[in-house]
Amino acid sequence: MEDAILAEINFARAYPQEYARRLQREPVTPWERALIDAGEPEDRAAYVEAIEYLKRQRPLSPLRPDDSLAAAALEHVSLQGPAGHIGHGGANGERFYDRVRRHGAAAASAAENIAYGPPSPEDVVRALIIDSGVPDRGHRTNIFHTAFKVVGVSCGPHRDYTTMCVMDFSGAPSPRIITAQLDKVRPADE
């Protein structure tokens, strides 16, 4: 699921106009229809706004996976999911930025998206790009933020929403990743 979400995010970043056409071909997914049938309000304005945004969005380079960010995301899924919690803060009050730093990730320019309930990678990314119910469209902004270069993704079960997926974004790779890359190019000591 995590690799497929990253691929879906990177497709939207690289081909935003094509992603807009995808949205137009399927105005409501089966998962969204089930939510509407269960009483969720249909936010047609957010859907239309997302399409217009994507039509104007310039292509961006793909995000690279980051193990430290993925570890921070996995921790959040592991603690929140079984307890049925929601939000970016930890149960002990730890803030997102503190969690990311504790895992060794570069948090100078970082953000987090969380999707509760979408059953497929396509539904996860679609929901975050449409960003219904989020007035500042912060999830969409994170996906298309030009400063972000890496992401860690983790998904798992959630007590109340069946699934949850956490995406932690950063503008710089984690120091551990940089060190590992340098170790690969350094000549071996003789």
Side-chain angles (χ1 to χ4, degrees):
M1 182 96 159
E2 290 84 354
D3 290 342
I5 287 172
L6 177 57
E8 189 76 7
I9 288 171
N10 281 335
F11 180 84
R13 284 174 59 95
Y15 306 102
Q17 290 76 31
E18 179 56 32
Y19 201 89
R21 286 189 284 279
R22 273 190 189 180
L23 291 182
Q24 289 175 309
R25 284 192 298 269
E26 189 172 21
V28 178
T29 67
W31 177 69
E32 291 167 335
R33 173 59 51 208
L35 291 176
I36 293 165
D37 291 347
E40 284 283 322
E42 185 174 3
D43 191 350
R44 184 87 177 138
Y47 166 79
V48 170
E49 181 189 314
I51 291 170
E52 292 306 312
Y53 176 94
L54 291 163
K55 287 179 178 179
R56 293 187 311 271
Q57 176 63 41
R58 65 179 181 80
L60 300 172
S61 58
L63 298 171
R64 295 182 318 277
D66 184 288
D67 291 340
S68 295
L69 290 169
L74 175 61
E75 178 185 315
H76 203 53
V77 169
S78 298
L79 295 174
Q80 259 198 0
H85 295 262
I86 60 170
H88 299 282
N92 63 355
E94 182 180 45
R95 297 175 318 161
F96 153 71
Y97 291 104
D98 296 327
R99 176 171 30 91
V100 169
R101 275 194 277 275
R102 189 167 40 74
H103 280 276
S109 173
E112 181 172 73
N113 283 356
I114 306 175
Y116 298 96
S120 72
E122 296 81 10
D123 284 320
V124 167
V125 175
R126 176 187 170 106
L128 294 169
I129 288 175
I130 294 173
D131 225 0
S132 177
V134 181
D136 70 356
R137 308 297 189 227
H139 301 110
R140 181 190 310 155
T141 299
N142 291 341
I143 289 172
F144 293 99
H145 200 299
T146 58
F148 293 149
K149 306 299 180 206
V150 294
V151 66
V153 181
S154 183
C155 300
H158 190 276
R159 186 189 74 195
D160 300 331
Y161 291 97
T162 308
T163 64
M164 69 178 286
C165 292
V166 176
M167 290 133 275
D168 288 339
F169 300 87
S170 181
S174 300
R176 288 185 223 168
I177 302 296
I178 294 168
T179 302
Q181 290 170 344
L182 288 174
D183 288 343
K184 288 181 185 177
V185 297
R186 287 185 184 137
D189 291 337
E190 295 184 24

